[in-house]
Amino acid sequence: MENAYPELDKILAKFQDKKGSLIPLLQEVQKERGYLSRETMQYLADKMEIPSAEIFGVATFYSMFRLKPQGKHLIRVCKGTACHVSDVDSIKNAIIEILQLPEGENTTSDMQFTVMEVACLGCCSLAPVIMIDGKTYGKLVPEAIPAILNQYKNGDSE
Ligand code: FES
């Protein structure tokens, strides 16, 4: 096989003698490539001489691994208890509706936004909370969502 991924080889070399290090290895690969494509996982399996099912198994088991490319802006919707009881679902539904995300998809077709549910974001007194890229938005109501998303659509807010 041709050596198509020198950056992956570098990561593989780093973990070469570390048994049981598949998870940190995959984390590093994801950091480097943004997500774990099938092609990437197959490449790692070939190089490591392990069954590709082993890598797919780990990558699909842990929610921290992304198997699809992520949009430019990451919207984290808190699913912690305080946010749950504050009806964060209505916030999520508003986001999905505005972004016109098809069922089962979490990234918009223009690759601008990815929506994901996460555990408590650590600011429960502001529930319901979302975080877009590094910025937190709290005490949300669905009506506030269009204006918030517009900042990212138009001006690529920081
Ligand atoms: S439960 Fe949402 S910030 Fe804690």
Side-chain angles (χ1 to χ4, degrees), residues 77-84 88 118-130:
V77 178
C78 179
K79 290 297 276 185
T81 308
C83 288
H84 181 68
V88 78
V118 295
C120 177
L121 285 166
C123 38
C124 311
S125 61
L126 298 177
V129 177
I130 65 168

mmCIF file of all heavy atoms in Angstrom, residues 77-84 88 118-130, ligand 1:
data_model
loop_
_atom_site.group_PDB
_atom_site.id
_atom_site.type_symbol
_atom_site.label_atom_id
_atom_site.label_comp_id
_atom_site.label_asym_id
_atom_site.label_seq_id
_atom_site.Cartn_x
_atom_site.Cartn_y
_atom_site.Cartn_z
ATOM 1 N N VAL A 77 -25.572 21.218 22.503
ATOM 2 C CA VAL A 77 -26.824 21.381 23.228
ATOM 3 C C VAL A 77 -26.713 20.573 24.512
ATOM 4 O O VAL A 77 -26.492 19.357 24.471
ATOM 5 C CB VAL A 77 -28.017 20.868 22.384
ATOM 6 C CG1 VAL A 77 -29.317 20.998 23.166
ATOM 7 C CG2 VAL A 77 -28.106 21.624 21.060
ATOM 8 N N CYS A 78 -26.842 21.247 25.644
ATOM 9 C CA CYS A 78 -26.667 20.554 26.921
ATOM 10 C C CYS A 78 -27.847 19.643 27.213
ATOM 11 O O CYS A 78 -29.006 20.057 27.129
ATOM 12 C CB CYS A 78 -26.522 21.578 28.043
ATOM 13 S SG CYS A 78 -26.320 20.767 29.632
ATOM 14 N N LYS A 79 -27.533 18.417 27.567
ATOM 15 C CA LYS A 79 -28.582 17.460 27.919
ATOM 16 C C LYS A 79 -28.496 17.076 29.396
ATOM 17 O O LYS A 79 -29.011 16.038 29.802
ATOM 18 C CB LYS A 79 -28.469 16.201 27.050
ATOM 19 C CG LYS A 79 -28.834 16.444 25.600
ATOM 20 C CD LYS A 79 -30.275 16.866 25.399
ATOM 21 C CE LYS A 79 -31.216 15.686 25.330
ATOM 22 N NZ LYS A 79 -32.584 16.090 25.017
ATOM 23 N N GLY A 80 -27.830 17.916 30.173
ATOM 24 C CA GLY A 80 -27.755 17.667 31.615
ATOM 25 C C GLY A 80 -29.129 17.840 32.255
ATOM 26 O O GLY A 80 -30.062 18.344 31.610
ATOM 27 N N THR A 81 -29.236 17.452 33.513
ATOM 28 C CA THR A 81 -30.544 17.442 34.175
ATOM 29 C C THR A 81 -31.190 18.824 34.226
ATOM 30 O O THR A 81 -32.358 18.993 33.880
ATOM 31 C CB THR A 81 -30.396 16.894 35.613
ATOM 32 O OG1 THR A 81 -29.711 15.651 35.514
ATOM 33 C CG2 THR A 81 -31.734 16.678 36.265
ATOM 34 N N ALA A 82 -30.420 19.830 34.646
ATOM 35 C CA ALA A 82 -31.004 21.171 34.795
ATOM 36 C C ALA A 82 -31.525 21.683 33.451
ATOM 37 O O ALA A 82 -32.605 22.283 33.373
ATOM 38 C CB ALA A 82 -29.963 22.137 35.365
ATOM 39 N N CYS A 83 -30.781 21.428 32.409
ATOM 40 C CA CYS A 83 -31.220 21.877 31.085
ATOM 41 C C CYS A 83 -32.400 21.052 30.598
ATOM 42 O O CYS A 83 -33.318 21.574 29.979
ATOM 43 C CB CYS A 83 -30.056 21.819 30.100
ATOM 44 S SG CYS A 83 -28.850 23.119 30.433
ATOM 45 N N HIS A 84 -32.352 19.780 30.923
ATOM 46 C CA HIS A 84 -33.459 18.913 30.507
ATOM 47 C C HIS A 84 -34.771 19.397 31.114
ATOM 48 O O HIS A 84 -35.769 19.540 30.411
ATOM 49 C CB HIS A 84 -33.157 17.465 30.927
ATOM 50 C CG HIS A 84 -34.216 16.504 30.524
ATOM 51 N ND1 HIS A 84 -34.466 16.194 29.215
ATOM 52 C CD2 HIS A 84 -35.117 15.820 31.267
ATOM 53 C CE1 HIS A 84 -35.473 15.353 29.155
ATOM 54 N NE2 HIS A 84 -35.883 15.095 30.390
ATOM 55 N N VAL A 88 -34.783 22.073 27.339
ATOM 56 C CA VAL A 88 -33.766 22.305 26.314
ATOM 57 C C VAL A 88 -34.187 21.668 24.979
ATOM 58 O O VAL A 88 -33.723 22.074 23.917
ATOM 59 C CB VAL A 88 -32.380 21.773 26.784
ATOM 60 C CG1 VAL A 88 -32.287 20.263 26.658
ATOM 61 C CG2 VAL A 88 -31.257 22.439 26.003
ATOM 62 N N VAL A 118 -24.593 17.168 24.447
ATOM 63 C CA VAL A 118 -23.467 16.892 25.344
ATOM 64 C C VAL A 118 -23.961 16.843 26.783
ATOM 65 O O VAL A 118 -25.056 17.309 27.095
ATOM 66 C CB VAL A 118 -22.373 17.979 25.218
ATOM 67 C CG1 VAL A 118 -21.745 17.974 23.842
ATOM 68 C CG2 VAL A 118 -22.921 19.355 25.545
ATOM 69 N N ALA A 119 -23.124 16.313 27.650
ATOM 70 C CA ALA A 119 -23.451 16.288 29.078
ATOM 71 C C ALA A 119 -23.300 17.702 29.632
ATOM 72 O O ALA A 119 -22.822 18.599 28.935
ATOM 73 C CB ALA A 119 -22.521 15.322 29.794
ATOM 74 N N CYS A 120 -23.676 17.871 30.890
ATOM 75 C CA CYS A 120 -23.696 19.190 31.542
ATOM 76 C C CYS A 120 -22.520 20.078 31.142
ATOM 77 O O CYS A 120 -21.363 19.689 31.231
ATOM 78 C CB CYS A 120 -23.688 18.990 33.057
ATOM 79 S SG CYS A 120 -23.622 20.537 33.967
ATOM 80 N N LEU A 121 -22.844 21.288 30.714
ATOM 81 C CA LEU A 121 -21.812 22.234 30.287
ATOM 82 C C LEU A 121 -21.252 23.034 31.461
ATOM 83 O O LEU A 121 -20.401 23.897 31.278
ATOM 84 C CB LEU A 121 -22.382 23.179 29.221
ATOM 85 C CG LEU A 121 -22.553 22.564 27.821
ATOM 86 C CD1 LEU A 121 -23.429 23.451 26.934
ATOM 87 C CD2 LEU A 121 -21.218 22.317 27.146
ATOM 88 N N GLY A 122 -21.751 22.761 32.641
ATOM 89 C CA GLY A 122 -21.151 23.360 33.836
ATOM 90 C C GLY A 122 -21.690 24.731 34.200
ATOM 91 O O GLY A 122 -21.080 25.439 35.000
ATOM 92 N N CYS A 123 -22.788 25.151 33.620
ATOM 93 C CA CYS A 123 -23.377 26.434 34.014
ATOM 94 C C CYS A 123 -24.882 26.258 34.167
ATOM 95 O O CYS A 123 -25.675 26.931 33.510
ATOM 96 C CB CYS A 123 -23.023 27.540 33.029
ATOM 97 S SG CYS A 123 -23.012 27.030 31.317
ATOM 98 N N CYS A 124 -25.240 25.321 35.050
ATOM 99 C CA CYS A 124 -26.635 24.903 35.194
ATOM 100 C C CYS A 124 -27.558 26.052 35.608
ATOM 101 O O CYS A 124 -28.744 26.024 35.295
ATOM 102 C CB CYS A 124 -26.741 23.790 36.218
ATOM 103 S SG CYS A 124 -25.566 22.472 35.953
ATOM 104 N N SER A 125 -27.024 27.056 36.322
ATOM 105 C CA SER A 125 -27.902 28.150 36.752
ATOM 106 C C SER A 125 -28.407 28.937 35.549
ATOM 107 O O SER A 125 -29.341 29.724 35.664
ATOM 108 C CB SER A 125 -27.172 29.074 37.724
ATOM 109 O OG SER A 125 -26.063 29.637 37.074
ATOM 110 N N LEU A 126 -27.779 28.731 34.391
ATOM 111 C CA LEU A 126 -28.205 29.428 33.179
ATOM 112 C C LEU A 126 -29.107 28.558 32.302
ATOM 113 O O LEU A 126 -29.420 28.917 31.174
ATOM 114 C CB LEU A 126 -26.984 29.852 32.351
ATOM 115 C CG LEU A 126 -26.009 30.824 33.007
ATOM 116 C CD1 LEU A 126 -24.833 31.089 32.080
ATOM 117 C CD2 LEU A 126 -26.716 32.127 33.359
ATOM 118 N N ALA A 127 -29.497 27.406 32.806
ATOM 119 C CA ALA A 127 -30.269 26.461 31.983
ATOM 120 C C ALA A 127 -31.532 27.109 31.408
ATOM 121 O O ALA A 127 -32.137 27.929 32.088
ATOM 122 C CB ALA A 127 -30.655 25.249 32.840
ATOM 123 N N PRO A 128 -31.914 26.743 30.202
ATOM 124 C CA PRO A 128 -31.234 25.808 29.294
ATOM 125 C C PRO A 128 -30.080 26.495 28.535
ATOM 126 O O PRO A 128 -30.178 27.652 28.170
ATOM 127 C CB PRO A 128 -32.347 25.400 28.320
ATOM 128 C CG PRO A 128 -33.264 26.591 28.281
ATOM 129 C CD PRO A 128 -33.183 27.242 29.638
ATOM 130 N N VAL A 129 -29.043 25.703 28.327
ATOM 131 C CA VAL A 129 -27.789 26.249 27.810
ATOM 132 C C VAL A 129 -27.386 25.561 26.511
ATOM 133 O O VAL A 129 -27.542 24.354 26.359
ATOM 134 C CB VAL A 129 -26.658 26.013 28.852
ATOM 135 C CG1 VAL A 129 -25.322 26.491 28.322
ATOM 136 C CG2 VAL A 129 -26.982 26.690 30.162
ATOM 137 N N ILE A 130 -26.859 26.369 25.586
ATOM 138 C CA ILE A 130 -26.142 25.792 24.445
ATOM 139 C C ILE A 130 -24.792 26.476 24.360
ATOM 140 O O ILE A 130 -24.583 27.549 24.963
ATOM 141 C CB ILE A 130 -26.891 25.952 23.093
ATOM 142 C CG1 ILE A 130 -27.013 27.416 22.689
ATOM 143 C CG2 ILE A 130 -28.254 25.274 23.129
ATOM 144 C CD1 ILE A 130 -27.481 27.636 21.249
HETATM 145 S S1 FES B 1 -27.294 20.769 33.023
HETATM 146 FE FE1 FES B 1 -26.976 22.116 31.370
HETATM 147 S S2 FES B 1 -25.335 23.316 32.064
HETATM 148 FE FE2 FES B 1 -25.593 21.862 33.618
#
